[in-house]
Amino acid sequence: VRFPEDLEDDNTTFNPEYSHQVFGDDEVAFGYKGLKILLYYIAGNLSTLFRVEYTSKVNEKFDCVEADDVESKIREIIPPGFCTNTDDFVSLLEKEVNFKPFGMLLHTYSIHNEEAGEDITYQIYKADMTCPGFREYHERLQTFLMWFIETASFIDVDDERWNYFLVFEKYNKDGATLFATVGYMTVYNYYVYPDKTRPRVSQMLILPPFQGEGHGAQLLETVHRYYMSSPTVLDITAEDPSENYVKLRDFVLVKLCQDLLCFSPVKLMQGFSQEMVTEAQQKLKINKQHTRRVYEILRLRATNMGDAEQSRSYRLDIKRRLIGPYKKKQRELAKMRRCLRPEEMTNQLNQIDLNMQREQLEESFQQLVSDYRRVLERLAQA
């Protein structure tokens, strides 16, 4: 909500992707007709208005059943201090002009908005719990995780090893410049013996009204560049990354790596090398596993897949990596042969049909190439 009229505007409304973490695996609230759970957030500081509406509710006295206590379930995840009255919320909205982003400004960028017919400016900040008011703001911000990240959990904000990166949109209201929350990322700094840290991306969310505009890539690249400048950082990883995050990371890392000398077309055609691993880690804080994916994407760009020899060479190179888990299984089978009875061995062999392996390998390869082509298409448009 930026203006009072947004309260009545359905175009500003977005629905949760998940509600199982609040309402159970069936995502059902029992005992109501026409149930609406309404959560309004002021665009910048995220002050909250919470209301529950319904047309009718089962009555314990007459129906001998009790409706779910929807309100208490929501109260468990939103911090206290929220409004239940629209007038109180609108009076808070009037004070929004005083809200300013927390922490240190890292990056400013613009994106052209077709609807508005102008460039809109965004800024990325790094904050921590020492910033006045940030703890309370973060409590409100993290409630979005429950609705948009499938395995979300709230973090221990008293642990000083957490870093917070925030994206804001600058907008004008009555001649004043205000800020709207776009998204954020939390990063945990793990200790690596003897004197390094390994920042691990924990949670990353771009709010639904801003998705698909490139903010995720801007945020991830800014965070990478922030840690790249630190001599104590070994490399940057992610905790249990989603499929969408992996695609985003592929794009950002390829964009960062493509100008390194070790990824020149000539060197790419010679195969994956230790030089790539070393340079990517030392200059860009990218680990070996991610460097390998970058190599495969950039080699695809350098390969003429219409040329039979080049295409075959690329296919073999990728499949040699993909076959690793299958070879591990073969080694395990070799061990089993020495200690299993014949009938037990037959059961194990039935699970690993070689033709099926080949089919799975080809399927994995085709899927990978398809994903890599999308990264390269996005890179060409960037």
Side-chain angles (χ1 to χ4, degrees), residues 111 204 206 210-221 243-255 258 297 301 370-382:
I111 291 176
M204 178 180 181
I206 301 299
F210 304 97
Q211 288 174 7
E213 296 177 356
H215 301 293
Q218 290 280 357
L219 177 56
L220 186 55
E221 184 175 343
E243 200 175 304
N244 284 338
Y245 179 83
V246 170
K247 288 173 183 174
L248 179 68
R249 182 175 63 197
D250 282 344
F251 168 72
V252 169
L253 297 191
V254 169
K255 188 178 172 210
Q258 61 182 346
I297 295 167
R301 185 169 71 178
S370 174
D371 290 344
Y372 289 174
R373 285 194 195 284
R374 275 195 288 271
V375 173
L376 293 172
E377 282 165 15
R378 184 173 179 184
L379 203 62
Q381 293 162 4

Side-chain angles (χ1 to χ4, degrees), residues 87-293:
D87 291 340
D88 293 341
F89 186 71
V90 170
S91 69
L92 284 178
L93 186 58
E94 288 164 5
K95 298 172 187 170
E96 178 72 349
V97 68
N98 300 318
F99 173 76
K100 294 292 178 281
F102 303 93
M104 173 175 67
L105 175 62
L106 296 181
H107 180 50
T108 301
Y109 62 99
S110 296
I111 291 176
H112 186 72
N113 185 290
E114 292 290 338
E115 202 175 312
E118 61 182 2
D119 288 350
I120 295 178
T121 301
Y122 300 89
Q123 293 184 327
I124 299 175
Y125 289 77
K126 177 189 173 287
D128 59 49
M129 288 299 154
T130 63
C131 301
F134 179 65
R135 181 182 290 261
E136 294 76 15
Y137 167 85
H138 177 264
E139 282 186 357
R140 299 189 289 273
L141 176 60
Q142 69 178 351
T143 60
F144 286 103
L145 298 177
M146 288 297 166
W147 310 114
F148 296 102
I149 293 182
E150 194 169 4
T151 54
S153 59
F154 292 164
I155 62 177
D156 176 12
V157 295
D158 292 320
D159 189 332
E160 293 176 358
R161 285 177 289 187
W162 284 106
N163 287 153
Y164 307 85
F165 299 88
L166 309 155
V167 188
F168 293 96
E169 176 195 329
K170 291 175 81 172
Y171 70 98
N172 292 315
K173 182 179 177 182
D174 303 327
T177 298
L178 278 75
F179 294 86
T181 301
V182 170
Y184 83 120
M185 178 192 285
T186 56
V187 181
Y188 192 78
N189 295 290
Y190 280 90
Y191 168 69
V192 180
Y193 181 84
D195 59 352
K196 300 280 186 189
T197 58
R198 173 173 279 133
R200 181 188 285 179
V201 176
S202 174
Q203 291 157 330
M204 178 180 181
L205 176 66
I206 301 299
L207 296 178
F210 304 97
Q211 288 174 7
E213 296 177 356
H215 301 293
Q218 290 280 357
L219 177 56
L220 186 55
E221 184 175 343
T222 300
V223 170
H224 249 276
R225 290 190 183 281
Y226 171 78
Y227 287 117
M228 272 159 46
S229 63
S230 171
T232 61
V233 169
L234 184 67
D235 54 36
I236 303 158
T237 61
E239 179 188 334
D240 192 19
S242 68
E243 200 175 304
N244 284 338
Y245 179 83
V246 170
K247 288 173 183 174
L248 179 68
R249 182 175 63 197
D250 282 344
F251 168 72
V252 169
L253 297 191
V254 169
K255 188 178 172 210
L256 290 170
C257 285
Q258 61 182 346
D259 295 325
L260 293 180
L261 287 175
C262 63
F263 289 108
S264 67
V266 172
K267 293 194 173 180
L268 286 166
M269 301 311 274
Q270 292 169 0
F272 188 54
S273 68
Q274 183 57 41
E275 182 192 2
M276 293 171 183
V277 175
T278 305
E279 196 170 352
Q281 182 162 37
Q282 288 179 352
K283 292 185 178 176
L284 304 175
K285 312 297 184 184
I286 300 172
N287 67 24
K288 183 177 180 178
Q289 183 188 352
H290 300 160
T291 303
R292 171 73 200 202
R293 278 182 76 90

